[in-house]
Amino acid sequence: MSGPLTDLDRPNSYIGRAVPRADAARLLEGRGRFVDDLQLPRMLHAAFLRSPYAHARVNGFDLEAARAVPGVHTILTGKDLEGVVEPYVGVLSHLAGLQSAPQMPMAVDVARWQGEPLVMVIAESRAIAEDALGLIEADLDPLDPVTDPEAALEPGAALIHDSLGSNLAWERTVDVGDVDAAFAADGVTTVERSFTFGRHTGVTLETRAAVAAFDPSTDQLTFWYSGQAPHMMQFIFAKHLGLMEEDVRVIAHDVGGSFGIKIHTYGDEVATAAAAKLLGRPIKFVADRLESFQTDIHARDHIVKGRMGLTADGKIAALEFDDITGIGPFSMYPRTSAIEANQVLNLTGAPYEIENYRARSRVVFQNKNLMCQYRAVGHPIAMAICDCLLEDAAREIGMDVAEVRRRNLMADDSYPRQSASGMKLADLSHQQSLEKLLEIMDYNGLRADQAQARKSGVYRGIGLVSMVEVTNPSPAFYGIGGAPIASQDGATVRLDAGGGLRISSSVTEQGQGTNGILAQIAADRFGIPIDRVRVTTGDTDTVPYGGGTWASRGAGIGGEAMLQAAVALRDQVLDVAAVMLQTEPSKLDIRDGAVTDLDGSERMTLSDLARTVYYRGNELPSDMKPELVATRHYRVTDFPFVFTNGAMAAQVEVDVETGMVKVLGFWAVEDCGRVINPMLVDEQVRGGVVQGIGGALYEECLYDEEGQLLNASMADYEVPMAAEMPDIVVAHVETPTRTSELGAKGAGEAGTGGAPAALMNAVNDALSPLGGRIHQMPMTPERILKALGTV
Amino acid sequence: MTQVSMTVNGEAVSAEVEGRTLLSDFLRGNLRLTGTHIGCDTSQCGACLVHVDGEVVKSCTMFAAEAAGTEVTTIEGMANPDGSLSAIQQAFQDQHGLQCGFCTPGMVMATASLLKENPKPSVAEIRDYLEGNICRCTGYHNIIKAVLAASGQDVDAMVAG
């Protein structure tokens, strides 16, 4: 490690070290505080009747038998929430032209996807509520479902929202350079491919869950939920339930996985809060796994036609694609469902020198579950389009896939600069990361192994990807378009009388180790053993105001705020100490929980100092006003996003008889700037890679033509398991971001963004001697056999 | 309603439950032992693993009444008698073998069961044994390392640190 912040000889140097997380012990003992663990006095339980049809007119319900079930307290329909909940619309002004329709927590007149909530039963237990659901007579008229996004755009297609006049939610184009001339130029080899990216979803092991409690005497709502952005939800409940923001408290304690799933406005959760307000009693709603598959946001769902031109010496002449993405019947509130398409246009080709770039994306309504931001928003699509075209084109001209990257990746000394799509880039290391990747994977050795294997009829393939990841977003992501989503975060550091630090932050913990790295940063910069630091996150009543966790921003933005707060408190404490010790602050230090001279000899403990300030202020000069608490906020300025880069490789073996793909190895070189805790970041990268492998090989939400989800259980939807996963080797290049003192960029989404392209390239590399190729994810055995022409 | 009695983590417990009450719901709802988690409803995920008479069981696949008279151990009963983390729990903490912690109780129960059958499992044997436990956060890598460490083996058996 190098740089000013990782002087590992100093006491309390935690930044850059593999410090185990303190809160792991609690989780290992079964003492987690997940939402379903919460029991409140007089609490009731909610269950929802959901639309069995993808598209249906809602005529009404016979609720008599359900109401008669002993233990049923209240039954609410969509109509009952009219006037209670203000409808919401998922549009943002910076996505010019984006349209969507007003949405209610439960369908009122028309149900638009299978799984949309229709009726809420509130009972003494979840089991009783479900018993009652079975007795509801729903009067629904099925309507023609529109499920295929291409068909949805055809003239005469049935409209999902009559009021919008079209099933097109949004369209954006980019056109840079002279694409037509570049493709037409002499000596340019063009490859054209049609890609399909299936829908998949987050499958957080803890399903979405909420407990809402409303106190009518104070008009205050408390909402415990399994989520990522407490302050955003505070705004949403206040606005749509007619409350003051200061009367809404949102708490997210332990969160059992989130991955972007738990950052949206879900009807069942809004209905739970609304019902708590109506009834004045706590209500719990915990989605079961069927509900999760039907209503947790889905991801991807793209059909892309793309082409790339390569000159004879392997330079990218031009890149062009046309993307259609299906987003379900509404744009998700408040982040919208157009961000993914926007990212695809922004990020495709961003690692490379490309002068001629043209792209279009159309975002289309359909009668399926809503699609929105899930881990690595748009990245797997963008990386697959460019890097799969690049490897296919390289094969076409007979150039090695590593060499073709060397010739096209932006030079490491060429920053700051822009990508073809106009993204501002800085502090990236594509060339160095590629070379490091080739070294750690023993690229030449694997190629020799591949050639050897082919002689014995074994089809192995190697695929690479060079990628960027959007992290540490500025207000340009959401706030600029009117979303109630903070791009800045705050941190508070307080020295308590016992000499320990109480820190709090507006970024949130879902298992990635946020609380651990915040403690590392505070302890390191303040000068105290980490076991004297206690962390609070996930409570709008007690943490500074901020955005929470999304877009890989916790370490980079929350971490920088914590660093600045710890430095500020250190300065404040030294000012107090200097007066008490009759010296200059510059002659003192804080080390290991004590105020010391610069040579490290102890002058007084932090506890002595704090007890004097708090208990015996009479010993201090009367004009001294000591502050043993500091708060700092941080936002990224000058750059819309802080991009990271990475290089990844997959080695696969394809069984050409069965179509099964075995991942033999995976390597990831990640440049996320300053690494705060290598143990945490490495496993987060691996976890991201595993979700990327899932999307590339196994995971798909399968719908039939009627919009019925066919595999809405873990028995039928395949997620990666330990036995199928390879050892994943992670290495780092560290190029700190110039935008902060900490220098940390995000890392949480890189694996998910990059792995699918590497896998697709590896499979196509394996299939190439047989003349087969596949550009559809997931690459299931059946699809691979079809690609080989054997079925 | 049925009266159900069993021993859970060494304590005799008894409660009146509906016949349809699953062991997982009995532990969480009646006994308030919320360390046992419900992740899937269809017995795929393994978050609800407990030991029943020493055998590892997905507690969502068993009615509480079926467990009457048995000795049940849950994650809350896995620490050392003095309350400190057991060797398995300590290994998971040291190796960062967990992220959100939701699958973790099941992983710990599965590991205890594996190491009873096979005190020195290989990496491949560990990966195989965990076929019924989904972790959605980690890359499974550190979970494997934690099991190696808990069994007193060299964690460098994994290719990458």
Side-chain angles (χ1 to χ4, degrees):
Chain A
M1 310 292 294
S2 62
L5 291 177
T6 52
D7 173 9
L8 294 177
D9 296 328
R10 239 179 95 84
N12 321 122
S13 284
Y14 300 106
I15 295 174
R17 286 190 192 274
V19 182
R21 291 159 59 199
D23 51 4
R26 191 169 54 75
L27 296 166
L28 281 158
E29 292 178 336
R31 297 179 195 279
R33 296 173 300 165
F34 297 95
V35 173
D36 194 28
D37 301 341
L38 188 65
Q39 294 283 8
L40 296 180
R42 302 180 71 236
M43 188 168 78
L44 298 168
H45 299 261
F48 290 86
L49 181 73
R50 295 173 183 276
S51 176
Y53 302 113
H55 202 187
R57 187 159 302 288
V58 179
N59 298 317
F61 304 94
D62 182 348
L63 304 172
E64 200 176 330
R67 285 208 171 100
V69 174
V72 168
H73 188 281
T74 302
I75 300 181
L76 298 170
T77 67
K79 275 197 190 340
D80 293 330
L81 292 184
E82 286 186 315
V84 177
V85 177
E86 181 189 317
Y88 35 93
V89 187
V91 297
L92 290 171
S93 64
H94 66 312
L95 303 170
L98 171 63
Q99 61 170 358
S100 188
Q103 194 180 358
M104 284 288 283
M106 298 190 281
V108 178
D109 299 318
V110 178
R112 292 184 172 87
W113 85 93
Q114 181 216 28
E116 183 171 10
L118 300 175
V119 180
M120 179 187 203
V121 176
I122 300 161
E124 297 292 336
S125 74
R126 169 81 184 212
I128 293 170
E130 289 189 16
D131 289 344
L133 288 183
L135 300 174
I136 295 173
E137 298 275 345
D139 180 2
L140 306 172
D141 286 334
L143 300 170
D144 284 341
V146 180
T147 54
D148 175 51
E150 286 177 312
L153 291 179
E154 295 291 327
L159 290 180
I160 291 174
H161 301 284
D162 291 335
S163 61
L164 300 181
S166 161
N167 292 324
L168 181 68
W170 192 59
E171 176 170 352
R172 186 189 155 203
T173 56
V174 177
D175 194 351
V176 177
D178 190 339
V179 171
D180 293 327
F183 276 115
D186 284 347
V188 169
T189 301
T190 298
V191 292
E192 267 189 69
R193 298 286 183 264
S194 292
F195 297 84
T196 308
F197 301 91
R199 282 184 163 228
H200 52 95
T201 185
V203 197
T204 59
L205 204 53
E206 182 205 22
T207 55
R208 289 188 298 102
V211 172
F214 187 76
D215 181 346
S217 65
T218 60
D219 262 0
Q220 289 183 336
L221 173 72
T222 305
F223 191 79
W224 289 263
Y225 88 133
S226 180
Q228 306 172 230
H231 278 111
M232 184 192 92
M233 294 312 296
Q234 177 188 54
F235 171 91
I236 284 166
F237 289 126
K239 177 171 171 56
H240 295 280
L241 297 179
L243 300 167
M244 302 295 284
E245 282 178 59
E246 53 271 33
D247 286 329
V248 178
R249 179 182 189 183
V250 179
I251 300 171
H253 283 151
D254 291 321
V255 175
S258 51
F259 321 123
I261 297 300
K262 296 174 176 174
I263 199 155
H264 309 291
T265 306
Y266 290 98
D268 42 30
E269 295 179 30
V270 176
T272 299
K277 186 182 174 215
L278 287 173
L279 271 52
R281 286 181 68 170
I283 298 176
K284 177 187 279 187
F285 166 68
V286 180
D288 64 25
R289 188 53 65 184
L290 171 65
E291 292 177 298
S292 296
F293 277 110
Q294 289 182 336
T295 63
D296 286 7
I297 57 108
H298 291 177
R300 322 308 179 211
D301 199 352
H302 293 255
I303 303 163
V304 181
K305 290 182 176 58
R307 61 176 181 149
M308 178 183 280
L310 218 50
T311 64
D313 62 350
K315 296 286 285 182
I316 298 171
L319 173 62
E320 177 175 27
F321 66 88
D322 191 7
D323 167 43
I324 293 183
T325 177
I327 60 163
F330 296 93
S331 169
M332 196 81 183
Y333 180 73
R335 289 169 190 263
T336 85
S337 301
I339 293 287
E340 168 139 316
N342 202 42
Q343 299 274 64
V344 173
L345 263 59
N346 285 343
L347 303 181
T348 302
Y352 300 102
E353 299 274 2
I354 297 176
E355 287 175 9
N356 304 297
Y357 175 61
R358 185 162 63 205
R360 172 170 73 155
S361 191
R362 284 173 291 171
V363 176
V364 181
F365 295 119
Q366 59 184 165
N367 291 116
K368 293 183 182 177
N369 181 27
L370 279 69
M371 193 285 292
C372 195
Q373 282 81 292
Y374 157 71
R375 194 175 198 173
V377 184
H379 292 63
I381 316 302
M383 304 313 146
I385 293 170
C386 182
D387 273 49
C388 295
L389 287 172
L390 182 65
E391 291 209 359
D392 283 2
R395 247 190 302 278
E396 202 90 354
I397 66 166
M399 183 173 285
D400 174 76
V401 298
E403 181 56 28
V404 81
R405 284 186 174 79
R406 282 192 193 100
R407 295 185 183 200
N408 288 284
L409 285 169
M410 292 176 181
D412 293 350
D413 60 4
S414 65
Y415 304 97
R417 59 173 298 165
Q418 290 199 348
S419 70
S421 64
M423 293 290 102
K424 283 175 80 173
L425 305 172
D427 312 316
L428 300 180
S429 61
H430 285 295
Q431 296 279 358
Q432 193 187 343
S433 296
L434 173 65
E435 295 307 326
K436 187 158 190 168
L437 176 74
L438 299 174
E439 177 194 325
I440 64 169
M441 69 187 286
D442 183 16
Y443 181 73
N444 294 331
L446 289 185
R447 284 291 180 207
D449 163 85
Q450 178 183 36
Q452 193 63 35
R454 274 183 195 170
K455 285 182 194 160
S456 48
V458 173
Y459 291 89
R460 291 187 176 160
I462 300 157
L464 274 54
V465 63
S466 289
M467 51 137 356
V468 293
E469 182 197 346
V470 168
T471 79
N472 298 7
S474 79
F477 212 154
Y478 290 113
I480 197 173
I485 298 169
S487 58
Q488 62 82 57
D489 273 283
T492 295
V493 181
R494 186 180 79 205
L495 179 64
D496 280 353
L501 276 193
R502 170 60 69 175
I503 67 173
S504 61
S505 169
S506 54
V507 293
T508 52
E509 168 76 275
Q510 295 86 35
Q512 66 277 58
T514 301
N515 288 357
I517 61 141
L518 291 174
Q520 283 180 255
I521 293 166
D524 184 297
R525 301 317 289 160
F526 184 70
I528 192 170
I530 196 166
D531 63 5
R532 300 300 312 279
V533 181
R534 298 293 178 271
V535 188
T536 301
T537 52
D539 184 346
T540 55
D541 263 16
T542 57
V543 304
Y545 201 96
T549 298
W550 44 274
S552 295
R553 62 194 298 286
I557 295 179
E560 176 69 8
M562 185 58 69
L563 182 149
Q564 296 298 342
V567 169
L569 182 66
R570 183 176 181 281
D571 291 346
Q572 290 166 211
V573 166
L574 289 180
D575 284 346
V576 176
V579 171
M580 291 168 70
L581 298 169
Q582 298 185 318
T583 180
E584 297 296 317
S586 61
K587 293 179 177 166
L588 297 172
D589 196 2
I590 301 175
R591 297 185 192 178
D592 234 7
V595 178
T596 69
D597 287 329
L598 293 182
D599 65 4
S601 52
E602 181 176 316
R603 298 294 300 276
M604 68 192 304
T605 66
L606 289 172
S607 174
D608 284 345
L609 180 143
R611 288 192 203 285
T612 304
V613 167
Y614 289 134
Y615 304 158
R616 303 187 303 277
N618 55 300
E619 296 177 11
L620 302 173
S622 56
D623 62 347
M624 185 181 193
K625 297 182 175 60
E627 286 286 355
L628 301 189
V629 59
T631 297
R632 290 293 183 273
H633 288 78
Y634 172 73
R635 73 183 197 283
V636 174
T637 52
D638 300 334
F639 287 84
F641 312 101
V642 177
F643 281 92
T644 72
N645 69 278
M648 300 182 191
Q651 184 199 22
V652 303
E653 185 174 304
V654 180
D655 183 329
V656 295
E657 302 293 323
T658 65
M660 298 284 285
V661 176
K662 184 170 174 53
V663 187
L664 300 176
F666 200 96
W667 298 263
V669 175
E670 167 74 352
D671 187 345
C672 58
R674 181 81 60 213
V675 171
I676 300 165
N677 185 325
M679 181 167 72
L680 265 53
V681 81
D682 285 2
E683 195 64 9
Q684 208 185 3
V685 169
R686 289 193 192 97
V689 167
V690 165
Q691 284 190 10
I693 292 174
L697 295 179
Y698 312 122
E699 299 183 36
E700 186 167 18
C701 300
L702 293 164
Y703 280 88
D704 70 11
E705 289 176 355
E706 300 298 307
Q708 295 285 317
L709 183 55
L710 301 174
N711 60 338
S713 82
M714 280 197 186
D716 298 315
Y717 180 101
E718 190 181 359
V719 298
M721 304 294 290
E724 298 141 10
M725 289 302 102
D727 287 345
I728 298 165
V729 182
V730 179
H732 298 274
V733 171
E734 287 190 67
T735 312
T737 169
R738 69 189 64 197
T739 56
S740 72
E741 187 178 338
L742 181 63
K745 311 170 192 170
E749 304 175 83
T752 309
L759 264 297
M760 186 172 268
N761 280 337
V763 169
N764 280 322
D765 186 41
L767 299 183
S768 63
L770 299 168
R773 58 180 187 235
I774 180 166
H775 293 89
Q776 181 172 15
M777 291 187 198
M779 297 177 282
T780 60
E782 182 189 358
R783 288 169 184 162
I784 285 177
L785 292 179
K786 281 182 178 159
L788 288 170
T790 54
V791 294
Chain B
M1 301 291 268
T2 317
Q3 188 72 25
V4 173
S5 301
M6 66 187 81
T7 303
V8 177
N9 301 331
E11 281 182 40
V13 297
S14 190
E16 197 160 272
V17 298
E18 283 188 75
R20 64 182 174 179
T21 303
L22 298 171
L23 177 58
S24 51
D25 291 330
F26 178 75
L27 294 170
R28 290 182 54 80
N30 293 77
L31 304 184
R32 304 294 299 126
L33 291 169
T34 53
T36 298
H37 295 151
I38 313 292
C40 69
D41 313 318
T42 51
S43 74
Q44 263 75 40
C45 80
C48 69
L49 283 190
V50 298
H51 296 164
V52 177
D53 287 337
E55 296 293 319
V56 69
V57 167
K58 287 181 173 169
S59 61
C60 74
T61 63
M62 190 174 190
F63 290 116
E66 291 178 277
T70 65
E71 302 234 357
V72 176
T73 306
T74 71
I75 186 67
E76 288 89 347
M78 292 302 283
N80 293 325
D82 68 357
S84 60
L85 293 183
S86 69
I88 293 172
Q89 291 167 319
Q90 190 64 52
F92 271 78
Q93 179 170 32
D94 292 345
Q95 301 297 328
H96 185 46
L98 68 155
Q99 287 187 20
C100 78
F102 201 81
C103 75
T104 305
M107 291 288 180
V108 170
M109 302 310 286
T111 302
S113 177
L114 165 63
L115 298 187
K116 202 168 82 175
E117 288 173 25
N118 182 356
K120 301 281 181 200
S122 68
V123 169
E125 286 169 336
I126 297 167
R127 286 191 182 276
D128 248 21
Y129 193 85
L130 295 178
E131 66 176 358
N133 289 80
I134 292 173
C135 171
R136 194 60 172 163
C137 296
T138 74
Y140 293 105
H141 183 98
N142 286 357
I143 291 173
I144 314 293
K145 280 174 76 173
V147 180
L148 286 173
S151 59
Q153 302 186 80
D154 185 358
V155 297
D156 294 333
M158 300 296 289
V159 294

